[in-house]
PDB file of all heavy atoms in Angstrom:
ATOM      1  N   LYS A   1     126.080  96.167 204.406  1.00  0.00           N
ATOM      2  CA  LYS A   1     125.281  95.518 203.377  1.00  0.00           C
ATOM      3  C   LYS A   1     123.894  96.138 203.249  1.00  0.00           C
ATOM      4  O   LYS A   1     123.146  95.784 202.373  1.00  0.00           O
ATOM      5  CB  LYS A   1     125.089  94.023 203.727  1.00  0.00           C
ATOM      6  CG  LYS A   1     126.386  93.195 203.812  1.00  0.00           C
ATOM      7  CD  LYS A   1     126.153  91.777 204.239  1.00  0.00           C
ATOM      8  CE  LYS A   1     127.390  90.973 204.338  1.00  0.00           C
ATOM      9  NZ  LYS A   1     127.231  89.614 204.813  1.00  0.00           N
ATOM     10  N   LEU A   2     123.530  97.007 204.203  1.00  0.00           N
ATOM     11  CA  LEU A   2     122.218  97.629 204.208  1.00  0.00           C
ATOM     12  C   LEU A   2     122.420  99.132 204.539  1.00  0.00           C
ATOM     13  O   LEU A   2     123.065  99.475 205.488  1.00  0.00           O
ATOM     14  CB  LEU A   2     121.333  96.980 205.271  1.00  0.00           C
ATOM     15  CG  LEU A   2     119.882  97.386 205.392  1.00  0.00           C
ATOM     16  CD1 LEU A   2     119.155  97.138 204.105  1.00  0.00           C
ATOM     17  CD2 LEU A   2     119.220  96.666 206.547  1.00  0.00           C
ATOM     18  N   THR A   3     121.869  99.985 203.655  1.00  0.00           N
ATOM     19  CA  THR A   3     122.124 101.430 203.791  1.00  0.00           C
ATOM     20  C   THR A   3     120.930 102.172 204.405  1.00  0.00           C
ATOM     21  O   THR A   3     121.093 103.028 205.318  1.00  0.00           O
ATOM     22  CB  THR A   3     122.397 102.071 202.452  1.00  0.00           C
ATOM     23  OG1 THR A   3     123.505 101.350 201.808  1.00  0.00           O
ATOM     24  CG2 THR A   3     122.733 103.504 202.521  1.00  0.00           C
ATOM     25  N   GLU A   4     119.691 101.834 203.969  1.00  0.00           N
ATOM     26  CA  GLU A   4     118.549 102.608 204.385  1.00  0.00           C
ATOM     27  C   GLU A   4     117.339 101.729 204.322  1.00  0.00           C
ATOM     28  O   GLU A   4     117.167 100.886 203.452  1.00  0.00           O
ATOM     29  CB  GLU A   4     118.402 103.790 203.461  1.00  0.00           C
ATOM     30  CG  GLU A   4     117.317 104.744 203.854  1.00  0.00           C
ATOM     31  CD  GLU A   4     117.306 105.977 202.934  1.00  0.00           C
ATOM     32  OE1 GLU A   4     118.240 106.162 202.144  1.00  0.00           O
ATOM     33  OE2 GLU A   4     116.318 106.767 203.081  1.00  0.00           O
ATOM     34  N   VAL A   5     116.458 101.900 205.334  1.00  0.00           N
ATOM     35  CA  VAL A   5     115.128 101.200 205.403  1.00  0.00           C
ATOM     36  C   VAL A   5     114.104 102.251 205.843  1.00  0.00           C
ATOM     37  O   VAL A   5     114.281 102.996 206.832  1.00  0.00           O
ATOM     38  CB  VAL A   5     115.133  99.992 206.329  1.00  0.00           C
ATOM     39  CG1 VAL A   5     113.701  99.399 206.406  1.00  0.00           C
ATOM     40  CG2 VAL A   5     116.114  98.992 206.031  1.00  0.00           C
ATOM     41  N   SER A   6     113.021 102.406 205.131  1.00  0.00           N
ATOM     42  CA  SER A   6     111.962 103.261 205.499  1.00  0.00           C
ATOM     43  C   SER A   6     110.630 102.640 205.140  1.00  0.00           C
ATOM     44  O   SER A   6     110.555 101.753 204.321  1.00  0.00           O
ATOM     45  CB  SER A   6     112.086 104.641 204.876  1.00  0.00           C
ATOM     46  OG  SER A   6     111.969 104.534 203.450  1.00  0.00           O
ATOM     47  N   TYR A   7     109.554 103.174 205.713  1.00  0.00           N
ATOM     48  CA  TYR A   7     108.201 102.671 205.443  1.00  0.00           C
ATOM     49  C   TYR A   7     107.273 103.863 205.094  1.00  0.00           C
ATOM     50  O   TYR A   7     107.401 104.945 205.694  1.00  0.00           O
ATOM     51  CB  TYR A   7     107.665 101.931 206.665  1.00  0.00           C
ATOM     52  CG  TYR A   7     108.444 100.689 207.026  1.00  0.00           C
ATOM     53  CD1 TYR A   7     109.557 100.736 207.843  1.00  0.00           C
ATOM     54  CD2 TYR A   7     108.127  99.428 206.486  1.00  0.00           C
ATOM     55  CE1 TYR A   7     110.316  99.608 208.072  1.00  0.00           C
ATOM     56  CE2 TYR A   7     108.853  98.310 206.716  1.00  0.00           C
ATOM     57  CZ  TYR A   7     109.923  98.379 207.589  1.00  0.00           C
ATOM     58  OH  TYR A   7     110.712  97.266 207.788  1.00  0.00           O
ATOM     59  N   SER A   8     106.424 103.600 204.186  1.00  0.00           N
ATOM     60  CA  SER A   8     105.453 104.654 203.791  1.00  0.00           C
ATOM     61  C   SER A   8     104.060 104.042 203.497  1.00  0.00           C
ATOM     62  O   SER A   8     103.939 102.819 203.534  1.00  0.00           O
ATOM     63  CB  SER A   8     105.940 105.303 202.402  1.00  0.00           C
ATOM     64  OG  SER A   8     106.060 104.318 201.417  1.00  0.00           O
ATOM     65  N   ASP A   9     103.087 104.945 203.371  1.00  0.00           N
ATOM     66  CA  ASP A   9     101.707 104.568 203.141  1.00  0.00           C
ATOM     67  C   ASP A   9     101.185 103.512 204.159  1.00  0.00           C
ATOM     68  O   ASP A   9     100.650 102.480 203.819  1.00  0.00           O
ATOM     69  CB  ASP A   9     101.554 103.934 201.681  1.00  0.00           C
ATOM     70  CG  ASP A   9     101.961 104.950 200.637  1.00  0.00           C
ATOM     71  OD1 ASP A   9     101.642 106.160 200.834  1.00  0.00           O
ATOM     72  OD2 ASP A   9     102.591 104.559 199.680  1.00  0.00           O
ATOM     73  N   ILE A  10     101.426 103.824 205.471  1.00  0.00           N
ATOM     74  CA  ILE A  10     101.005 102.928 206.509  1.00  0.00           C
ATOM     75  C   ILE A  10      99.553 103.083 206.765  1.00  0.00           C
ATOM     76  O   ILE A  10      99.060 104.206 207.120  1.00  0.00           O
ATOM     77  CB  ILE A  10     101.827 103.233 207.799  1.00  0.00           C
ATOM     78  CG1 ILE A  10     103.341 103.048 207.567  1.00  0.00           C
ATOM     79  CG2 ILE A  10     101.386 102.334 208.951  1.00  0.00           C
ATOM     80  CD1 ILE A  10     104.229 103.632 208.649  1.00  0.00           C
ATOM     81  N   LYS A  11      98.801 101.991 206.627  1.00  0.00           N
ATOM     82  CA  LYS A  11      97.338 102.055 206.846  1.00  0.00           C
ATOM     83  C   LYS A  11      96.968 100.908 207.753  1.00  0.00           C
ATOM     84  O   LYS A  11      97.446  99.759 207.614  1.00  0.00           O
ATOM     85  CB  LYS A  11      96.578 101.898 205.534  1.00  0.00           C
ATOM     86  CG  LYS A  11      96.854 103.086 204.531  1.00  0.00           C
ATOM     87  CD  LYS A  11      96.036 102.918 203.294  1.00  0.00           C
ATOM     88  CE  LYS A  11      96.235 104.107 202.334  1.00  0.00           C
ATOM     89  NZ  LYS A  11      97.671 104.192 201.888  1.00  0.00           N
ATOM     90  N   THR A  12      96.110 101.173 208.725  1.00  0.00           N
ATOM     91  CA  THR A  12      95.679 100.139 209.616  1.00  0.00           C
ATOM     92  C   THR A  12      94.171  99.944 209.592  1.00  0.00           C
ATOM     93  O   THR A  12      93.388 100.890 209.391  1.00  0.00           O
ATOM     94  CB  THR A  12      96.045 100.494 211.115  1.00  0.00           C
ATOM     95  OG1 THR A  12      95.430 101.743 211.464  1.00  0.00           O
ATOM     96  CG2 THR A  12      97.554 100.624 211.307  1.00  0.00           C
ATOM     97  N   GLU A  13      93.744  98.710 209.784  1.00  0.00           N
ATOM     98  CA  GLU A  13      92.364  98.363 209.749  1.00  0.00           C
ATOM     99  C   GLU A  13      92.094  97.453 210.983  1.00  0.00           C
ATOM    100  O   GLU A  13      92.640  96.377 211.054  1.00  0.00           O
ATOM    101  CB  GLU A  13      91.898  97.676 208.480  1.00  0.00           C
ATOM    102  CG  GLU A  13      90.431  97.216 208.492  1.00  0.00           C
ATOM    103  CD  GLU A  13      90.105  96.328 207.289  1.00  0.00           C
ATOM    104  OE1 GLU A  13      90.923  96.203 206.377  1.00  0.00           O
ATOM    105  OE2 GLU A  13      89.037  95.755 207.296  1.00  0.00           O
ATOM    106  N   VAL A  14      91.266  97.951 211.893  1.00  0.00           N
ATOM    107  CA  VAL A  14      91.014  97.147 213.112  1.00  0.00           C
ATOM    108  C   VAL A  14      89.954  96.104 212.759  1.00  0.00           C
ATOM    109  O   VAL A  14      88.750  96.390 212.554  1.00  0.00           O
ATOM    110  CB  VAL A  14      90.587  98.026 214.313  1.00  0.00           C
ATOM    111  CG1 VAL A  14      90.338  97.206 215.552  1.00  0.00           C
ATOM    112  CG2 VAL A  14      91.575  99.193 214.529  1.00  0.00           C
ATOM    113  N   ALA A  15      90.370  94.839 212.741  1.00  0.00           N
ATOM    114  CA  ALA A  15      89.412  93.756 212.360  1.00  0.00           C
ATOM    115  C   ALA A  15      88.458  93.508 213.533  1.00  0.00           C
ATOM    116  O   ALA A  15      87.255  93.283 213.295  1.00  0.00           O
ATOM    117  CB  ALA A  15      90.159  92.514 212.023  1.00  0.00           C
ATOM    118  N   ASN A  16      88.956  93.554 214.776  1.00  0.00           N
ATOM    119  CA  ASN A  16      88.088  93.421 215.934  1.00  0.00           C
ATOM    120  C   ASN A  16      88.753  93.987 217.154  1.00  0.00           C
ATOM    121  O   ASN A  16      90.012  94.098 217.230  1.00  0.00           O
ATOM    122  CB  ASN A  16      87.582  91.953 216.207  1.00  0.00           C
ATOM    123  CG  ASN A  16      88.796  91.009 216.209  1.00  0.00           C
ATOM    124  OD1 ASN A  16      89.702  91.142 216.983  1.00  0.00           O
ATOM    125  ND2 ASN A  16      88.771  90.003 215.377  1.00  0.00           N
ATOM    126  N   TRP A  17      87.936  94.345 218.148  1.00  0.00           N
ATOM    127  CA  TRP A  17      88.408  94.962 219.352  1.00  0.00           C
ATOM    128  C   TRP A  17      87.635  94.377 220.547  1.00  0.00           C
ATOM    129  O   TRP A  17      86.410  94.441 220.538  1.00  0.00           O
ATOM    130  CB  TRP A  17      88.263  96.471 219.315  1.00  0.00           C
ATOM    131  CG  TRP A  17      88.346  97.232 220.579  1.00  0.00           C
ATOM    132  CD1 TRP A  17      87.368  98.061 221.118  1.00  0.00           C
ATOM    133  CD2 TRP A  17      89.433  97.267 221.555  1.00  0.00           C
ATOM    134  NE1 TRP A  17      87.767  98.610 222.314  1.00  0.00           N
ATOM    135  CE2 TRP A  17      89.055  98.137 222.597  1.00  0.00           C
ATOM    136  CE3 TRP A  17      90.686  96.669 221.580  1.00  0.00           C
ATOM    137  CZ2 TRP A  17      89.866  98.394 223.709  1.00  0.00           C
ATOM    138  CZ3 TRP A  17      91.490  96.939 222.641  1.00  0.00           C
ATOM    139  CH2 TRP A  17      91.126  97.766 223.685  1.00  0.00           C
ATOM    140  N   PHE A  18      88.411  93.795 221.455  1.00  0.00           N
ATOM    141  CA  PHE A  18      87.757  93.181 222.608  1.00  0.00           C
ATOM    142  C   PHE A  18      88.276  93.842 223.913  1.00  0.00           C
ATOM    143  O   PHE A  18      89.348  93.489 224.397  1.00  0.00           O
ATOM    144  CB  PHE A  18      88.095  91.638 222.684  1.00  0.00           C
ATOM    145  CG  PHE A  18      87.572  90.933 221.453  1.00  0.00           C
ATOM    146  CD1 PHE A  18      88.409  90.403 220.505  1.00  0.00           C
ATOM    147  CD2 PHE A  18      86.215  90.726 221.253  1.00  0.00           C
ATOM    148  CE1 PHE A  18      87.958  89.717 219.362  1.00  0.00           C
ATOM    149  CE2 PHE A  18      85.681  90.100 220.155  1.00  0.00           C
ATOM    150  CZ  PHE A  18      86.576  89.581 219.217  1.00  0.00           C
ATOM    151  N   PRO A  19      87.507  94.801 224.436  1.00  0.00           N
ATOM    152  CA  PRO A  19      87.976  95.565 225.564  1.00  0.00           C
ATOM    153  C   PRO A  19      88.067  94.763 226.859  1.00  0.00           C
ATOM    154  O   PRO A  19      88.795  95.165 227.792  1.00  0.00           O
ATOM    155  CB  PRO A  19      86.947  96.713 225.717  1.00  0.00           C
ATOM    156  CG  PRO A  19      85.717  96.236 224.947  1.00  0.00           C
ATOM    157  CD  PRO A  19      86.254  95.363 223.843  1.00  0.00           C
ATOM    158  N   GLN A  20      87.366  93.618 226.936  1.00  0.00           N
ATOM    159  CA  GLN A  20      87.391  92.827 228.189  1.00  0.00           C
ATOM    160  C   GLN A  20      88.360  91.626 228.048  1.00  0.00           C
ATOM    161  O   GLN A  20      88.339  90.737 228.886  1.00  0.00           O
ATOM    162  CB  GLN A  20      85.972  92.267 228.454  1.00  0.00           C
ATOM    163  CG  GLN A  20      84.969  93.349 228.658  1.00  0.00           C
ATOM    164  CD  GLN A  20      85.104  94.068 229.964  1.00  0.00           C
ATOM    165  OE1 GLN A  20      85.825  93.592 230.887  1.00  0.00           O
ATOM    166  NE2 GLN A  20      84.351  95.196 230.131  1.00  0.00           N
ATOM    167  N   ALA A  21      89.248  91.643 227.084  1.00  0.00           N
ATOM    168  CA  ALA A  21      90.096  90.497 226.841  1.00  0.00           C
ATOM    169  C   ALA A  21      90.900  90.053 227.980  1.00  0.00           C
ATOM    170  O   ALA A  21      91.166  88.868 228.266  1.00  0.00           O
ATOM    171  CB  ALA A  21      90.928  90.712 225.575  1.00  0.00           C
ATOM    172  N   THR A  22      91.424  91.015 228.781  1.00  0.00           N
ATOM    173  CA  THR A  22      92.202  90.744 229.991  1.00  0.00           C
ATOM    174  C   THR A  22      91.743  91.687 231.096  1.00  0.00           C
ATOM    175  O   THR A  22      91.044  92.657 230.821  1.00  0.00           O
ATOM    176  CB  THR A  22      93.712  90.910 229.794  1.00  0.00           C
ATOM    177  OG1 THR A  22      94.006  92.359 229.828  1.00  0.00           O
ATOM    178  CG2 THR A  22      94.175  90.357 228.451  1.00  0.00           C
ATOM    179  N   SER A  23      92.136  91.450 232.315  1.00  0.00           N
ATOM    180  CA  SER A  23      91.757  92.261 233.451  1.00  0.00           C
ATOM    181  C   SER A  23      92.592  93.564 233.437  1.00  0.00           C
ATOM    182  O   SER A  23      92.369  94.443 234.226  1.00  0.00           O
ATOM    183  CB  SER A  23      91.966  91.530 234.746  1.00  0.00           C
ATOM    184  OG  SER A  23      93.275  91.123 234.863  1.00  0.00           O
ATOM    185  N   HIS A  24      93.598  93.600 232.525  1.00  0.00           N
ATOM    186  CA  HIS A  24      94.461  94.785 232.487  1.00  0.00           C
ATOM    187  C   HIS A  24      94.469  95.415 231.102  1.00  0.00           C
ATOM    188  O   HIS A  24      95.433  96.117 230.746  1.00  0.00           O
ATOM    189  CB  HIS A  24      95.863  94.374 232.925  1.00  0.00           C
ATOM    190  CG  HIS A  24      96.389  93.153 232.273  1.00  0.00           C
ATOM    191  ND1 HIS A  24      96.987  93.149 231.086  1.00  0.00           N
ATOM    192  CD2 HIS A  24      96.326  91.862 232.752  1.00  0.00           C
ATOM    193  CE1 HIS A  24      97.322  91.867 230.808  1.00  0.00           C
ATOM    194  NE2 HIS A  24      96.924  91.086 231.729  1.00  0.00           N
ATOM    195  N   GLY A  25      93.401  95.248 230.351  1.00  0.00           N
ATOM    196  CA  GLY A  25      93.318  95.909 229.046  1.00  0.00           C
ATOM    197  C   GLY A  25      92.867  95.012 227.949  1.00  0.00           C
ATOM    198  O   GLY A  25      92.968  93.820 228.018  1.00  0.00           O
ATOM    199  N   GLY A  26      92.348  95.608 226.867  1.00  0.00           N
ATOM    200  CA  GLY A  26      91.787  94.850 225.765  1.00  0.00           C
ATOM    201  C   GLY A  26      92.816  94.433 224.728  1.00  0.00           C
ATOM    202  O   GLY A  26      93.962  94.837 224.800  1.00  0.00           O
ATOM    203  N   ILE A  27      92.341  93.654 223.707  1.00  0.00           N
ATOM    204  CA  ILE A  27      93.233  93.181 222.666  1.00  0.00           C
ATOM    205  C   ILE A  27      92.464  93.451 221.343  1.00  0.00           C
ATOM    206  O   ILE A  27      91.297  93.169 221.210  1.00  0.00           O
ATOM    207  CB  ILE A  27      93.492  91.706 222.817  1.00  0.00           C
ATOM    208  CG1 ILE A  27      94.388  91.470 224.040  1.00  0.00           C
ATOM    209  CG2 ILE A  27      94.280  91.186 221.575  1.00  0.00           C
ATOM    210  CD1 ILE A  27      94.681  90.032 224.324  1.00  0.00           C
ATOM    211  N   ALA A  28      93.189  94.017 220.364  1.00  0.00           N
ATOM    212  CA  ALA A  28      92.663  94.235 219.010  1.00  0.00           C
ATOM    213  C   ALA A  28      93.443  93.413 218.002  1.00  0.00           C
ATOM    214  O   ALA A  28      94.661  93.257 218.130  1.00  0.00           O
ATOM    215  CB  ALA A  28      92.743  95.703 218.663  1.00  0.00           C
ATOM    216  N   THR A  29      92.736  92.902 217.006  1.00  0.00           N
ATOM    217  CA  THR A  29      93.347  92.318 215.804  1.00  0.00           C
ATOM    218  C   THR A  29      93.378  93.352 214.717  1.00  0.00           C
ATOM    219  O   THR A  29      92.351  93.937 214.455  1.00  0.00           O
ATOM    220  CB  THR A  29      92.598  91.075 215.396  1.00  0.00           C
ATOM    221  OG1 THR A  29      92.550  90.133 216.501  1.00  0.00           O
ATOM    222  CG2 THR A  29      93.298  90.395 214.208  1.00  0.00           C
ATOM    223  N   VAL A  30      94.589  93.592 214.192  1.00  0.00           N
ATOM    224  CA  VAL A  30      94.728  94.691 213.271  1.00  0.00           C
ATOM    225  C   VAL A  30      95.427  94.206 211.938  1.00  0.00           C
ATOM    226  O   VAL A  30      96.388  93.449 212.016  1.00  0.00           O
ATOM    227  CB  VAL A  30      95.598  95.792 213.908  1.00  0.00           C
ATOM    228  CG1 VAL A  30      95.663  97.032 212.966  1.00  0.00           C
ATOM    229  CG2 VAL A  30      95.076  96.167 215.256  1.00  0.00           C
ATOM    230  N   LYS A  31      94.882  94.621 210.797  1.00  0.00           N
ATOM    231  CA  LYS A  31      95.571  94.429 209.560  1.00  0.00           C
ATOM    232  C   LYS A  31      96.331  95.703 209.149  1.00  0.00           C
ATOM    233  O   LYS A  31      95.771  96.778 209.142  1.00  0.00           O
ATOM    234  CB  LYS A  31      94.541  94.070 208.485  1.00  0.00           C
ATOM    235  CG  LYS A  31      93.794  92.759 208.660  1.00  0.00           C
ATOM    236  CD  LYS A  31      92.831  92.447 207.564  1.00  0.00           C
ATOM    237  CE  LYS A  31      92.166  91.120 207.777  1.00  0.00           C
ATOM    238  NZ  LYS A  31      91.140  90.821 206.736  1.00  0.00           N
ATOM    239  N   VAL A  32      97.632  95.528 208.901  1.00  0.00           N
ATOM    240  CA  VAL A  32      98.457  96.699 208.665  1.00  0.00           C
ATOM    241  C   VAL A  32      99.053  96.543 207.245  1.00  0.00           C
ATOM    242  O   VAL A  32      99.726  95.538 206.967  1.00  0.00           O
ATOM    243  CB  VAL A  32      99.607  96.772 209.710  1.00  0.00           C
ATOM    244  CG1 VAL A  32     100.454  97.991 209.381  1.00  0.00           C
ATOM    245  CG2 VAL A  32      99.099  96.778 211.130  1.00  0.00           C
ATOM    246  N   THR A  33      98.786  97.561 206.455  1.00  0.00           N
ATOM    247  CA  THR A  33      99.360  97.584 205.090  1.00  0.00           C
ATOM    248  C   THR A  33     100.406  98.713 205.070  1.00  0.00           C
ATOM    249  O   THR A  33     100.229  99.804 205.580  1.00  0.00           O
ATOM    250  CB  THR A  33      98.268  97.909 204.056  1.00  0.00           C
ATOM    251  OG1 THR A  33      97.253  96.896 204.148  1.00  0.00           O
ATOM    252  CG2 THR A  33      98.884  97.897 202.641  1.00  0.00           C
ATOM    253  N   ARG A  34     101.600  98.380 204.526  1.00  0.00           N
ATOM    254  CA  ARG A  34     102.666  99.320 204.486  1.00  0.00           C
ATOM    255  C   ARG A  34     103.537  99.015 203.323  1.00  0.00           C
ATOM    256  O   ARG A  34     103.644  97.900 202.854  1.00  0.00           O
ATOM    257  CB  ARG A  34     103.443  99.437 205.778  1.00  0.00           C
ATOM    258  CG  ARG A  34     104.609  98.479 205.938  1.00  0.00           C
ATOM    259  CD  ARG A  34     104.241  97.031 205.983  1.00  0.00           C
ATOM    260  NE  ARG A  34     105.407  96.125 206.196  1.00  0.00           N
ATOM    261  CZ  ARG A  34     106.195  95.666 205.220  1.00  0.00           C
ATOM    262  NH1 ARG A  34     105.903  95.981 203.975  1.00  0.00           N
ATOM    263  NH2 ARG A  34     107.181  94.889 205.429  1.00  0.00           N
ATOM    264  N   THR A  35     104.299 100.015 202.801  1.00  0.00           N
ATOM    265  CA  THR A  35     105.282  99.832 201.708  1.00  0.00           C
ATOM    266  C   THR A  35     106.671  99.994 202.339  1.00  0.00           C
ATOM    267  O   THR A  35     106.948 101.030 202.967  1.00  0.00           O
ATOM    268  CB  THR A  35     105.056 100.845 200.638  1.00  0.00           C
ATOM    269  OG1 THR A  35     103.763 100.654 200.076  1.00  0.00           O
ATOM    270  CG2 THR A  35     106.111 100.697 199.515  1.00  0.00           C
ATOM    271  N   SER A  36     107.496  98.973 202.144  1.00  0.00           N
ATOM    272  CA  SER A  36     108.874  99.083 202.621  1.00  0.00           C
ATOM    273  C   SER A  36     109.802  99.513 201.481  1.00  0.00           C
ATOM    274  O   SER A  36     109.620  99.107 200.345  1.00  0.00           O
ATOM    275  CB  SER A  36     109.341  97.690 203.183  1.00  0.00           C
ATOM    276  OG  SER A  36     109.383  96.748 202.124  1.00  0.00           O
TER     277      SER A  36
END
């Protein structure tokens, strides 16, 4: 029922970045725009 899936024009925008969010690494909130 499904032949092919691909993605193009992938663009990311980092809304915020918190390097101290955990003791084992930070957490970023990201907006991702893509065309399926």
